Amino acid sequence: MLTIAHIEKALALTDFDSASAQLGMSPAGRASMTPKLNKPPRQSAVLVLIYPDTDQKLQVILTKRTEQLRGHSGQISFPGGRRDEGDKSYEETALREACEEVGVCNRSRIRILGQLAQLWIPPSNFEVMPIVATMDNIPQLVPSPAEVAQILFLPLDNLLKDDIKKTTPMTFRGTVFDVPYYDVQGHIVWGATAAMLSELEHRLRTTLTI
């Protein structure tokens, strides 16, 4: 069973190829895309919040975005959003957004473990910094009705099970692609969120073989 010590060790790996790990669950053609020099990406952060359930098995919180949101509506993501001018760090952005979206507002109970590699999202031109954190107990969640349609829970051990990784056809600009995704409670977790989970998965796999 995975523990917080495994997470800390995984995040502390040196010479880890984060880009290759992310591409393992990214849509075809992702590797060739780069930000436009004349349009710098906007900065954002998400909170990868990990906590033990009643059986001490680690869980990760994901949210299904409401359909009325302008960007990535209806998709599965980590709590997070755009970095405000007043945010002193990516950690502050991630914690503020988690408070607004899922009601996790007691920062004294949250311990930052580290971060995954920053990831650029082509459709929205955002650079996202995934902040990994933990809590000792099950959080009291209060989803924002304007932003969160549903809260999902991914057992961290499931990341190491190949049967949750699948593909589905999606159409982009008239072309059909087979897109990889994680099956979480019957929901399709793809795109940037899947890429971040893929990096975490491969960091954990590497840690468990050391």
Side-chain angles (χ1 to χ4, degrees):
M1 185 171 67
L2 291 172
T3 66
I4 293 299
H6 289 124
I7 308 298
E8 292 175 312
K9 189 175 180 180
L11 294 175
L13 289 173
T14 57
D15 299 322
F16 182 81
D17 190 349
S18 297
S20 294
Q22 292 173 347
L23 287 174
M25 290 295 288
S26 297
R30 176 67 175 82
S32 63
M33 297 180 182
T34 56
K36 297 180 180 179
L37 295 178
N38 63 345
K39 194 175 182 181
R42 295 169 290 177
Q43 302 302 302
S44 64
V46 297
L47 190 68
V48 184
L49 185 59
I50 300 169
Y51 67 92
D53 65 10
T54 53
D55 296 322
Q56 296 302 300
K57 293 183 179 179
L58 297 180
Q59 307 279 328
V60 181
I61 294 174
L62 295 165
T63 65
K64 181 177 181 180
R65 296 166 62 85
T66 57
E67 295 294 341
Q68 63 262 35
L69 289 174
R70 292 177 59 187
H72 308 286
S73 61
Q75 293 185 17
I76 310 299
S77 64
F78 294 109
R82 186 170 186 168
R83 185 175 180 179
D84 287 349
E85 290 185 5
D87 293 340
K88 298 178 181 179
S89 64
Y90 287 110
E91 288 86 352
E92 186 169 333
T93 300
L95 291 169
R96 174 179 54 76
E97 289 285 341
C99 176
E100 294 174 3
E101 292 184 17
V102 296
V104 179
C105 300
N106 189 342
R107 298 188 182 185
S108 65
R109 294 183 57 203
I110 300 173
R111 180 166 66 94
I112 303 297
L113 299 176
Q115 60 193 40
L116 300 173
Q118 196 169 34
L119 178 69
W120 175 58
I121 304 177
S124 57
N125 195 33
F126 268 102
E127 274 187 340
V128 183
M129 179 64 77
I131 303 299
V132 184
T134 187
M135 299 179 69
D136 292 333
N137 302 303
I138 299 174
Q140 300 264 331
L141 301 176
V142 183
S144 165
E147 298 185 70
V148 178
Q150 184 179 353
I151 296 177
L152 306 178
F153 305 96
L154 170 63
L156 201 60
D157 286 339
N158 283 8
L159 269 186
L160 305 180
K161 298 178 180 179
D162 290 334
D163 60 355
I164 77 164
K165 292 192 283 188
K166 304 175 182 179
T167 59
T168 187
M170 292 188 182
T171 303
F172 300 98
R173 298 178 181 177
T175 303
V176 178
F177 296 93
D178 283 331
V179 175
Y181 72 95
Y182 289 99
D183 184 338
V184 179
Q185 297 178 222
H187 294 273
I188 293 175
V189 181
W190 69 290
T193 304
M196 293 179 229
L197 284 172
S198 184
E199 180 186 346
L200 180 57
E201 173 201 336
H202 284 85
R203 282 181 176 275
L204 288 170
R205 289 186 185 277
T206 301
T207 297
L208 292 172
T209 60
I210 295 175

